[in-house]
């Protein structure tokens, strides 16, 4: 029996189609994501997890290309780029965020957070989620609260055992008005600058010191340019996974769910890496030559900031501060 020619052609075409790998539905869109620190860090593991999750959860229709160590600019520049649409995604500290969403800077008050579980529950809870809701009005979509960690003081001049030892030290700070106001109370000479400039500034002695979490200090290899560290844990530093609102608005409802879920997975990787850094970094940095003061009387550092806390109470409302401090 002769098979009509058309039928034969049709059968062959189907067979060929079945043999080919299934092309993702529609073209693949590549989104750029930038961070200020290296890939081998608590941010690097987060954005790499985010990229994997986005590609998997969108069936390959979206791909996230990550840039590290400020390759596409420092943190403030990255946030500005989200607003104008020249960048799609970033993971950043709250350092430059007060320039965009001032309400967030209440989180930058020193000694506000008791410990990691407290901070994480505040950010994952209604207080943190309400704050994420303030970003869309600025052309930015807040996908999730990540983490930078509790910040510690380092310098190249002398060991810091008590608040008075900070007096006169020229310290790099984030471009953060709350931090700058508080550090002046310690007698520090605050020098705000982008993170991408810090290593060179420490190396050249433009500044004596800086303050950052263990995850940043070890990822940035600051032990090469800083002799002394004191585990002050003087302030908890949140981080944020942000997206350009313009890019977000182009996503379907299902893809918005996928991106939000991917950000949650990124935060899990981020926090797990910080927990690991908190366990191992002090011994590692000491083995690389840093002199580390671990037994710190934090109450003394807190007491020194008492006048500034009064100012913050007026600025943010003492009840708002207490709501965070007492959050369980
Ligand atoms: O977000 O600027 C800083 O010190 C930050 O901790 C760093 O960029 C990581």
């Amino acid at each position: 029996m002769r098979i009509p020619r058309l039928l034969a052609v049709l059968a062959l075409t189907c067979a060929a189609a079945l043999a080919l790998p299934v092309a993702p539905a529609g073209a693949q869109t590549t989104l750029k994501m930038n961070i200020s620190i290296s890939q081998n860090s608590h941010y690097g593991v987060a954005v790499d997890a985010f990229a994997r999750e986005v590609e998997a959860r969108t069936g390959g229709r979206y791909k996230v290309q990550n840039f590290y160590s400020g390759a596409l600019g420092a943190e403030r520049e990255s946030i500005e780029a989200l607003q104008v649409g020249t960048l799609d995604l970033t993971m950043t500290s709250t350092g430059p965020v007060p320039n965009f969403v001032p309400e967030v800077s209440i989180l930058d008050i020193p000694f506000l957070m008791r410990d990691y579980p407290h901070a994480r529950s505040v950010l994952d809870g209604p207080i943190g989620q309400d704050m994420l809701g303030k970003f869309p009005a600025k052309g930015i979509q807040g996908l999730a609260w990540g983490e930078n960690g509790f910040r510690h003081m380092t310098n190249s001049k002398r060991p810091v055992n008590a608040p008075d030892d900070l007096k006169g030290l020229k310290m790099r700070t984030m471009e953060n008005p709350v931090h700058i106001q508080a550090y002046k109370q310690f007698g520090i000479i605050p020098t705000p600058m982008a993170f991408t400039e810090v290593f060179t500034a420490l190396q050249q002695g433009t500044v004596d010191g800086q303050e950052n979490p263990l995850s940043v200090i070890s990822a940035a290899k600051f032990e090469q340019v800083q002799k002394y560290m004191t585990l002050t844990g003087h302030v908890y530093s949140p981080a944020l996974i942000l997206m350009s609102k313009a890019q977000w608005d182009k996503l379907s409802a299902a893809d918005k769910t996928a991106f939000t879920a991917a950000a949650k997975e990124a935060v899990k990787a981020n926090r797990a890496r910080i927990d690991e850094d908190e366990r191992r970094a002090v011994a590692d940095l000491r083995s690389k030559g840093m002199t580390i003061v671990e037994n710190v009387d934090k109450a003394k550092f807190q007491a020194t900031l008492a006048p500034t806390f009064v100012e913050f109470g007026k600025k943010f409302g003492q009840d708002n501060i207490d709501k965070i401090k007492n959050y369980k």
Side-chain angles (χ1 to χ4, degrees):
M1 185 181 76
R2 268 174 49 75
I3 301 175
R5 191 172 161 72
L6 183 58
L7 208 56
V9 172
L10 201 60
L12 281 172
T13 320
C14 291
L18 285 170
L20 285 172
V22 176
Q28 181 172 64
T29 304
T30 297
L31 302 174
K32 288 188 169 57
M33 186 165 201
N34 186 53
I35 59 174
S36 65
I37 53 181
S38 61
Q39 182 173 21
N40 181 11
S41 70
H42 56 317
Y43 285 11
V45 295
V47 298
D48 289 352
F50 181 75
R52 284 193 302 276
E53 292 289 330
V54 163
E55 193 154 353
R57 293 167 184 270
T58 64
R61 284 176 295 103
Y62 284 92
K63 187 176 172 49
V64 176
Q65 186 183 7
N66 286 331
F67 295 82
Y68 312 99
S69 306
L72 300 183
E75 293 186 341
R76 182 164 44 73
E77 291 151 343
S78 294
I79 301 173
E80 286 162 353
L82 296 184
Q83 292 182 307
V84 295
T86 52
L87 182 67
D88 306 303
L89 293 147
T90 191
M91 184 169 188
T92 174
S93 72
T94 51
V97 171
N99 301 298
F100 305 89
V101 182
E103 298 90 332
V104 165
S105 51
I106 191 173
L107 297 173
D108 295 316
I109 294 174
F111 301 106
L112 180 72
M113 304 294 189
R114 294 186 299 276
D115 51 32
Y116 281 108
H118 173 217
R120 292 170 183 178
S121 61
V122 167
L123 296 176
D124 295 347
I127 295 172
Q129 298 314 301
D130 287 355
M131 267 192 215
L132 282 184
K134 310 237 185 258
F135 283 78
K138 305 298 168 63
I140 302 162
Q141 187 68 24
L143 295 184
W145 283 104
E147 186 166 78
N148 198 9
F150 280 95
R151 302 175 79 91
H152 306 296
M153 302 279 182
T154 71
N155 80 90
S156 57
K157 295 278 184 248
R158 57 178 173 263
V160 171
N161 294 296
D164 283 357
D165 299 328
L166 290 169
K167 282 203 172 88
L169 282 178
K170 200 170 177 205
M171 299 280 284
R172 177 267 174 177
T173 69
M174 296 199 290
E175 301 149 286
N176 188 286
V178 168
H179 285 188
I180 292 168
Q181 186 176 350
Y183 300 162
K184 279 182 182 159
Q185 186 65 39
F186 283 134
I188 283 170
I189 303 162
T191 309
M193 70 175 72
F195 183 76
T196 43
E197 299 160 32
V198 176
F199 190 93
T200 308
L202 294 169
Q203 196 172 42
Q204 295 174 347
T206 316
V207 289
D208 303 322
Q210 65 87 48
E211 42 82 58
N212 249 298
L214 290 171
S215 293
V216 173
I217 292 167
S218 54
K221 301 188 183 344
F222 281 163
E223 75 279 359
Q224 294 175 1
V225 285
Q226 295 277 269
K227 176 74 182 141
Y228 303 102
M229 176 161 70
T230 299
L231 300 185
T232 46
H234 54 277
V235 65
Y236 173 81
S237 189
L240 286 150
I241 299 179
L242 302 175
M243 184 169 187
S244 144
K245 179 96 173 38
Q247 220 22 281
W248 170 260
D249 291 345
K250 289 183 197 153
L251 298 178
S252 68
D255 287 338
K256 282 183 175 140
T257 305
F259 273 65
T260 307
K264 281 203 171 56
E265 293 306 313
V267 171
K268 282 187 198 151
N270 166 233
R271 289 173 176 173
R273 173 59 183 256
I274 288 171
D275 292 344
E276 186 198 323
D277 290 340
E278 291 283 332
R279 279 192 297 273
R280 62 153 205 91
V282 170
D284 178 57
L285 292 164
R286 186 174 276 134
S287 73
K288 291 172 178 163
M290 278 193 108
T291 300
I292 303 176
V293 177
E294 286 192 67
N295 302 321
V296 178
D297 183 348
K298 292 188 182 179
K300 279 205 183 120
F301 287 84
Q302 226 169 335
T304 306
L305 294 183
T308 319
F309 290 144
V310 174
E311 296 304 310
F312 291 147
K314 292 181 194 144
K315 179 179 168 115
F316 297 105
Q318 193 56 47
D319 51 346
N320 293 325
I321 295 172
D322 294 341
K323 211 169 103 193
I324 297 173
K325 276 196 152 186
N326 305 327
Y327 188 82
K328 293 251 176 332

